[in-house]
Amino acid sequence: MTIPDPDGLLAEQLLRLTRRVHRIQKRHLEERDLGVTPAQSRLLRTLAHYSSPPRMADLAARLEVVPRAVTTLVDGLEASGKVRRAPDPANRRVTRIELTDEGRATLDKLRGARRSAAEEILAPLTEKERQVLGVLLDTLVDGDAVKPC
């Protein structure tokens, strides 16, 4: 049996790339003065994918974080008017999280920031290299890269 990456080079490259992506995305967010952190931006994007306002627990599960982390993110976004807490009409003990008009406008601007950050990150690659990278990333994200020996 061979060890695919005996020196951990691929793991180190992935970690370095992750940090670079985070730095670039953060810079693009700051340049647009959107008033959101990368984590808040992720919550807004996730929130936009729901057909009806989710519960905090739903957001925590989807984001794969502890509920307390979602509470902190929602507190900040609510303070800036981008989301609001709303009572669940079917269960008064449940609170739902809704995007506001300000939140939707911020999401539109976030899309532009993410697009420009992606363009910066992918700039050194040719179109063919981008296609290959896309296939490789899909494989890793979907978990198909782990196959029995």
Side-chain angles (χ1 to χ4, degrees), residues 1-140:
M1 181 171 141
T2 61
I3 299 171
D5 186 20
D7 298 321
L9 178 61
L10 284 175
E12 179 60 29
Q13 288 172 312
L14 284 172
L15 291 172
R16 287 177 45 216
L17 177 60
T18 300
R19 287 190 298 265
R20 181 170 186 255
V21 167
H22 182 79
R23 273 192 321 271
I24 290 171
Q25 286 184 333
K26 185 176 179 181
R27 181 171 40 82
H28 280 262
L29 288 175
E30 289 169 354
E31 286 172 358
R32 285 169 173 74
D33 197 27
L34 299 177
V36 294
T37 65
Q40 288 173 330
S41 113
R42 184 171 174 236
L43 187 138
L44 286 173
R45 290 189 322 272
T46 300
L47 191 54
H49 286 89
Y50 282 92
S51 57
S52 61
R55 301 172 306 144
M56 300 273 263
D58 299 329
L59 286 169
R62 176 84 58 95
L63 293 168
E64 298 178 346
V65 298
V66 296
R68 177 70 189 123
V70 171
T71 300
T72 301
L73 293 172
V74 168
D75 286 348
L77 290 168
E78 187 175 40
S80 66
K82 293 172 180 60
V83 301
R84 72 175 146 261
R85 288 174 166 89
D88 184 313
N91 184 345
R92 62 188 176 105
R93 294 175 297 167
V94 173
T95 300
R96 301 272 176 182
I97 307 303
E98 299 177 335
L99 272 173
T100 63
D101 290 340
E102 175 70 21
R104 283 185 204 69
T106 300
L107 264 174
D108 288 340
K109 294 173 188 170
L110 281 170
R111 287 183 188 101
R114 292 190 63 184
R115 235 182 336 271
S116 63
E119 288 170 10
E120 180 179 338
I121 292 162
L122 298 173
L125 302 179
T126 66
E127 186 57 37
K128 179 65 177 167
E129 289 170 329
R130 289 177 188 210
Q131 290 172 1
V132 170
L133 178 61
V135 170
L136 293 171
L137 289 173
D138 282 343
T139 300
L140 292 174

